[in-house]
Amino acid sequence: MVVFEASQQSLAHEGQAPKPLQRRRDGCSECRRKKVKCDLRRPVCSRCTRFPKECRYGLNFVSERQRPRSQNSAERPLRSLIRPDVRLCIDESFSILPHQLHLNPSPFLSTKESLFFLHLFATETAPRLFPAAPSIFVRQLVNRALETPHLLHALLAAASSHHGRLVGDFSARSRTTTLKFTNFAVSGLRTALSRTEEMPKAETTMTALALCTNDICNGNRDIWRAHLSGATRLLTAFLDSHTVASGVVDPFGLCLVKWFATLDTMANLTGVSASPTDRDPRWYLDKIPDTQVGYVDDISGYSPELIPMLAQLGQMAGRQDLCTAAKYDVLFTLPQQLLEEAQQLESQIRSITDRTVSDSTLKNHNSALTVDLLHTHRAFVHASLLHLHRRVQLLPRGHSQVKEDITNIVNAVLNIDPFSPANILILWPMFSAGCETSFVSERNLIQDRMANMQSLGLGNYTRARDMLKIFWSSGSSMPWDIYFAEQGIQLVLF
């Protein structure tokens, strides 16, 4: 039987003496070691802010015999899914598996391993990948996976690889487990695609997006592009079949669009485009309702207004003449038309520097995170200006505008709590500033922030930190994307 950690205070049965309070066992490792109360703040509790690396939250299987059987009716719907001799205890503040799971029990959750990784995905992995997303998105993701084997295995693969990074388990056994789930997901997806009716389903698109995201986090640079290209075609089929007459998709479909948009935008900035050749590179933007434009998005961490600007920026920076000039660090005079286009784009980017969060985001998250999202947006705005100045206008690293861009990114980072999950969203701004700055203090700040996120098991941050050290050691004056392209290294900073 699977249950969530019970409430800390038991209600006394009528006519019986109240039971004594039991100490919580879901606190962080350090608070439990010191036997003090933990406020359960994630990713680092208040007591551990001085020594964040010691703050860990565990998920453990506990024998049913070790705990009394609860009669709480809220737990009963989950019992049909779980072997009677196993109980998985999870911090109730992160318990987001829906109670209706018993309606659609999955035969693929018959082992401790698959149960553990599904709960890990829902409570740890998904909140790391989508720290500001509405909770309904993760609930729907898990709910639909229970009915869709290839999606379920893609989520289990994500949780398995995340778990290996969290606990530092890089053994062959751990890699084999991740590979097993991945192979099941890929083979199941291929089977689904052989049936015409499966193509336009949201679950099919989700599997491709999950596999692509896993590839990026695991550094599978030769595979993620294929999965992103496949996700493009599947999302196209989904939107063509599920968009209502008004052109708007349902809230869950909207989250899929924004998930894809975030991946696609970052890919475009590194010279990889997965958009269909017969469509505008920003073909999915008309699916985002006007009511969400002008606010900081809860999937990407920046306003959707920035997406077409980033797409244009990627196209401009991808010009062969600019790439050649940046590579060889030669004097280059921008054609008048390109210069005017760059100036106009800069004006557009600056015009959206200040944005706020929507009412729905305010409702779904605490005030600290919503304030942090204002600064994630600003970090992206200034990173866009930095990319424009370095890659399109080809300004040298010592130019005053470049230095101002770096300072503005660093200030945005400083305004975000060091352990806030909002830091997860700003890998591209932090990496860009880290590559371009020559100040040790700013480099150390970027490294420290990345280390905080790396401790959460984020493989993309692990790889980005390694690439920063390589770039600094090289002493190259090239923009970072040109340098790594010359080395045959591709980075998608998602």
Side-chain angles (χ1 to χ4, degrees):
M1 177 173 62
V2 165
V3 298
F4 302 119
E5 193 70 38
S7 172
Q8 301 313 297
Q9 185 171 2
S10 303
L11 295 176
H13 294 290
E14 186 176 354
Q16 296 179 351
K19 295 180 180 180
L21 293 176
Q22 294 183 350
R23 182 169 59 87
R24 293 193 71 147
R25 298 182 181 275
D26 53 357
C28 76
S29 56
E30 189 66 5
C31 287
R32 284 188 283 115
R33 184 181 69 82
K34 294 180 178 179
K35 297 182 179 181
V36 295
K37 183 177 180 181
C38 180
D39 63 7
L40 303 178
R41 181 179 177 184
R42 305 278 179 132
V44 179
C45 77
S46 298
R47 286 183 176 273
C48 294
T49 52
R50 291 184 61 192
F51 306 100
K53 292 184 178 180
E54 304 301 323
C55 191
R56 294 288 184 271
Y57 291 93
L59 296 173
N60 299 302
F61 284 102
V62 181
S63 170
E64 172 73 10
R65 293 186 295 273
Q66 294 178 10
R67 293 185 184 269
R69 182 178 298 275
S70 170
Q71 297 302 317
N72 187 341
S73 60
E75 297 171 355
R76 291 171 188 161
L78 296 176
R79 293 178 182 173
S80 60
L81 289 177
I82 314 304
R83 290 171 49 187
D85 60 330
V86 176
R87 176 175 291 190
L88 182 62
C89 300
I90 299 179
D91 171 12
E92 62 182 355
S93 67
F94 276 71
S95 298
I96 56 178
L97 289 180
H99 290 308
Q100 64 267 30
L101 294 187
H102 73 292
L103 299 175
N104 301 297
S106 173
F108 301 97
L109 292 177
S110 58
T111 66
K112 284 185 178 182
E113 181 182 62
S114 57
L115 280 169
F116 176 79
F117 285 128
L118 180 62
H119 279 282
L120 185 73
F121 178 85
T123 61
E124 295 291 336
T125 306
R128 299 296 171 253
L129 294 175
F130 310 105
S135 58
I136 189 175
F137 175 56
V138 179
R139 290 196 188 102
Q140 283 283 324
L141 197 58
V142 173
N143 230 358
R144 297 186 185 212
L146 291 171
E147 299 177 333
T148 314
H150 55 76
L151 175 59
L152 177 61
H153 286 125
L155 302 189
L156 295 180
S160 175
S161 60
H162 181 216
H163 178 263
R165 292 188 296 269
L166 270 175
V167 302
D169 182 4
F170 304 107
S171 65
R173 179 180 178 181
S174 176
R175 294 194 301 270
T176 299
T177 300
T178 301
L179 184 60
K180 173 186 67 177
F181 289 135
T182 301
N183 288 340
F184 283 154
V186 172
S187 62
L189 182 59
R190 286 174 178 167
T191 301
L193 294 179
S194 66
R195 297 191 291 270
T196 306
E197 69 274 12
E198 296 291 327
M199 278 284 289
K201 288 186 176 181
E203 292 82 357
T204 312
T205 302
M206 280 187 277
T207 300
L209 287 174
L211 289 171
C212 182
T213 303
N214 293 349
D215 294 333
I216 293 172
C217 291
N218 294 330
N220 298 331
R221 63 189 180 95
D222 296 328
I223 304 175
W224 71 266
R225 286 185 296 177
H227 286 152
L228 182 61
S229 179
T232 305
R233 295 192 294 271
L234 294 173
L235 182 64
T236 303
F238 167 73
L239 292 177
D240 288 345
S241 300
H242 293 79
T243 302
V244 298
S246 63
V248 179
V249 294
D250 62 82
F252 181 73
L254 178 60
C255 286
L256 286 185
V257 172
K258 295 191 291 186
W259 182 2
F260 172 82
T262 304
L263 289 169
D264 187 53
T265 300
M266 289 298 104
N268 281 330
L269 285 172
T270 54
V272 177
S273 177
S275 297
T277 55
D278 60 339
R279 295 202 182 198
D280 184 274
R282 295 146 286 185
W283 56 273
Y284 43 77
L285 282 180
D286 62 352
K287 307 303 178 185
I288 301 178
D290 294 338
T291 54
Q292 298 206 11
V293 175
Y295 296 101
V296 181
D297 181 58
D298 50 13
I299 297 290
S300 66
Y302 52 85
S303 171
E305 298 164 284
L306 192 58
I307 294 177
M309 301 178 197
L310 290 173
Q312 182 182 359
L313 181 57
Q315 291 175 337
M316 294 168 68
R319 286 175 50 128
Q320 186 59 49
D321 52 354
L322 292 181
C323 292
T324 301
K327 176 181 176 181
Y328 295 106
D329 194 21
V330 297
L331 291 176
F332 181 79
T333 302
L334 266 65
Q336 185 62 30
Q337 182 179 353
L338 180 60
L339 178 60
E340 293 175 358
E341 186 180 353
Q343 291 172 341
Q344 182 180 10
L345 179 58
E346 178 169 355
S347 177
Q348 292 173 342
I349 295 173
R350 291 188 184 278
S351 71
I352 64 167
T353 299
D354 295 312
R355 287 294 181 264
T356 186
V357 297
S358 66
D359 291 339
S360 62
T361 302
L362 284 170
K363 185 186 302 183
N364 288 328
H365 300 289
N366 61 53
S367 57
L369 179 60
T370 55
V371 171
D372 287 339
L373 288 176
L374 307 183
H375 299 294
T376 64
H377 171 76
R378 293 179 67 91
F380 272 98
V381 166
H382 294 300
S384 302
L385 292 172
L386 176 61
H387 201 72
L388 176 68
H389 293 148
R390 286 286 285 144
R391 285 291 285 108
V392 178
Q393 296 182 347
L394 301 180
L395 300 181
R397 196 168 289 163
H399 194 279
S400 59
Q401 281 191 305
V402 172
K403 290 183 177 180
E404 181 182 350
D405 296 333
I406 296 171
T407 299
N408 287 332
I409 295 172
V410 170
N411 287 338
V413 173
L414 286 171
N415 280 314
I416 300 173
D417 185 277
F419 303 104
S420 168
N423 288 282
I424 295 169
L425 300 171
I426 55 172
L427 178 55
W428 181 62
M430 283 201 287
F431 187 85
S432 298
C435 284
E436 299 295 355
T437 183
S438 57
F439 290 105
V440 174
S441 59
E442 293 179 341
R443 289 184 174 186
N444 289 341
L445 169 68
I446 299 300
Q447 278 283 349
D448 289 344
R449 287 298 176 95
M450 287 188 171
N452 290 346
M453 298 303 101
Q454 184 180 350
S455 69
L456 300 178
L458 297 172
N460 45 357
Y461 270 88
T462 301
R463 193 156 185 253
R465 289 188 77 204
D466 292 340
M467 293 300 102
L468 266 182
K469 293 174 183 177
I470 291 173
F471 187 73
W472 291 337
S473 298
S474 73
S476 175
S477 61
M478 298 182 197
W480 64 265
D481 60 324
I482 296 293
Y483 172 81
F484 287 119
E486 285 295 296
Q487 305 300 313
I489 299 173
Q490 291 181 347
L491 283 174
V492 179
L493 300 171
F494 170 79

